[in-house]
Amino acid sequence: MTDSHRADSPGEQQPVRGTGDAAIAAAAARAESTRDRNLPQFEDLPIPGDTANLRLGPNLHDACLALLPLIGVWRGEGEIVYPTIDGPFRFGQQVTFAHDGRPFVHYEARSWLLDEDGAVIRPAARETGFWRPQADDTIEVLLTHSSGVVEIFYGRPRTQTSWELGTDIVMRTATAKEVTAAQRLYGLVNDGDLAYVEERAMEGQPLQPHVSAHLRRVVG
């Protein structure tokens, strides 16, 4: 694994289309406050633990290089809108992209509702899953939501620092809300922040904007 596999990748106001060397150089200047942080580790775990820091732990698998800029822990705020809910609602969120050296990335998102002053009201949605890059640049994404919905997305990188996904299959438990489709676009923006937007078709409504968020790196 080369040193370039162990650096953060940056973004600009729009997803970056520049060279990898430029991305690495810009990222290094922003990483001073996050470069030594990582996920909690169990020292007695007999196999490699997950790492969200490309400088620590196992090397990122070559199959996951298209996801390299995402590796880390990101935290920030977003907004929820939809015709079937009162809103919009503000929420906080932490998103983790981590790996253990194998050809997939573990994903987790935890959210909490915020009031108008930014104070935490209560925990909100959670989701977890795996991003599985393939040799043809396709990305298979499996997501399980705490609300009882399971989704399989297919997508691919749009640029070096943006990724687009759309559902192929949506399943739900008997008590979950009806969801029929979703699309997501992730990208690095500004000085390497992570932003995403999601469109969702659910409860009889057509595909339309539902969630957006802007997150800053806190680990990696």
Side-chain angles (χ1 to χ4, degrees):
M1 186 173 190
T2 67
D3 289 343
S4 64
H5 296 183
R6 291 191 173 276
D8 304 317
S9 291
E12 297 177 352
Q13 185 62 40
Q14 297 298 323
V16 173
R17 292 177 172 80
T19 66
D21 289 344
I24 292 166
R30 293 193 308 272
E32 292 305 317
S33 64
T34 64
R35 64 186 305 129
D36 296 324
R37 302 184 72 186
N38 200 5
L39 303 176
Q41 301 292 311
F42 292 96
E43 299 299 332
D44 57 348
L45 186 69
I47 57 175
D50 284 354
T51 179
N53 188 325
L54 292 167
R55 302 173 183 83
L56 304 171
N59 292 343
L60 183 68
H61 195 284
D62 285 351
C64 294
L65 291 182
L67 304 178
L68 181 151
L70 291 170
I71 301 300
V73 179
W74 310 80
R75 192 179 300 153
E77 295 186 10
E79 184 177 80
I80 304 168
V81 297
Y82 211 70
T84 58
I85 63 174
D86 296 329
F89 291 113
R90 258 177 99 184
F91 71 95
Q93 188 174 57
Q94 177 172 289
V95 170
T96 301
F97 289 91
H99 74 97
D100 65 3
R102 290 184 287 172
F104 58 83
V105 168
H106 178 231
Y107 164 89
E108 182 184 30
R110 303 187 66 171
S111 304
W112 49 94
L113 290 180
L114 301 173
D115 66 19
E116 294 181 355
D117 297 320
V120 176
I121 299 173
R122 61 174 174 82
R126 294 188 66 169
E127 56 187 36
T128 188
F130 298 92
W131 291 45
R132 294 163 31 89
Q134 303 302 308
D136 64 354
D137 287 336
T138 299
I139 305 171
E140 302 172 352
V141 177
L142 298 83
L143 285 187
T144 301
H145 300 256
S146 58
S147 59
V149 174
V150 178
E151 298 167 324
I152 296 177
F153 290 81
Y154 283 90
R156 62 179 56 248
R158 295 183 65 191
T159 68
Q160 290 182 343
T161 53
S162 63
W163 304 263
E164 189 167 22
L165 310 170
T167 50
D168 180 61
I169 298 173
V170 180
M171 299 174 288
R172 64 188 179 95
T173 65
T175 57
K177 292 181 179 180
E178 179 191 30
V179 177
T180 55
Q183 293 181 350
R184 294 188 181 186
L185 175 62
Y186 293 82
L188 298 193
V189 298
N190 298 334
D191 292 326
D193 295 347
L194 176 63
Y196 74 89
V197 293
E198 180 194 76
E199 295 184 341
R200 189 163 286 267
M202 60 184 181
E203 297 189 272
Q205 299 291 322
L207 192 69
Q208 60 192 285
H210 177 46
V211 178
S212 61
H214 188 125
L215 314 172
R216 295 188 63 85
R217 180 183 293 276
V218 296
V219 169

